[in-house]
Amino acid sequence: MRTKLFALVFALAQAGAAAAQDKSARGKWSDVQSIAPGAEIAVRTKDGDRLTGRFADATDEAVNFTHDGKRVTLTRDSIRNLKVSRGRNRLKGALVGAGIGGGAGAGAGGFVVARSDHFGGAPLPVGIAVGAGAGAAIGAAFGLGKNYETVYEAP
């Protein structure tokens, strides 16, 4: 049972990596100009700074957004990459939820095994499986952290 759980967690982790490798080459500034106003963005500058905020607009030479309530303008030449938030990271939430739920299920199953002679050791793996499944479902529903997609990366 534990091997199947590890295989499931590994498969879910690889799905995200495969999707990331499937992205085409980035670097089209026109993609930045087509971002909807108000979208949440994260900008990494060539100096190493990371700024997050709400997209306002973009010209051929610069991007404008609000960061901490202030309007910020960055030139195209100063940007290393620009990412747009696509909501909560559901995969990360599912993995963390499965770990927490599996641990709670192991505790509950171990409690049943310790208190009863009728079941043998069966409640322990069942508790882990049920707890991990429920935790993964709840974690996926809420997500964990932000899920950003790179729209522009400087050549």
Side-chain angles (χ1 to χ4, degrees):
M1 186 67 165
R2 188 171 25 168
T3 304
K4 289 180 183 178
L5 180 63
F6 286 128
L8 175 65
V9 170
F10 182 75
L12 289 173
Q14 295 303 313
Q21 290 175 353
D22 209 19
K23 301 287 182 194
S24 61
R26 299 174 187 107
K28 292 164 50 175
W29 188 253
S30 61
D31 292 342
V32 174
Q33 293 174 310
S34 66
I35 297 172
E40 188 173 346
I41 63 170
V43 181
R44 174 86 55 183
T45 66
K46 290 183 178 176
D47 295 337
D49 294 332
R50 183 173 188 266
L51 305 169
T52 58
R54 297 279 176 188
F55 181 80
D57 59 29
T59 65
D60 287 340
E61 299 299 321
V63 64
N64 300 302
F65 61 98
T66 57
H67 171 71
D68 290 338
K70 298 177 185 175
R71 187 170 173 93
V72 176
T73 300
L74 294 175
T75 63
R76 180 178 176 176
D77 294 335
S78 68
I79 296 173
R80 179 182 300 160
N81 65 38
L82 189 142
K83 300 178 180 188
V84 177
S85 174
R86 299 294 184 209
R88 307 291 261 158
N89 190 331
R90 300 199 183 280
L91 176 62
K92 189 185 291 183
L95 293 174
V96 170
I100 293 170
F111 178 79
V112 170
V113 169
R115 297 283 182 194
S116 175
D117 294 333
H118 302 294
F119 299 112
L124 186 59
V126 171
I128 293 171
V130 170
I138 292 168
F142 288 100
L144 184 65
K146 298 279 182 175
N147 192 19
Y148 285 99
E149 178 184 341
T150 301
V151 174
Y152 172 79
E153 195 162 332

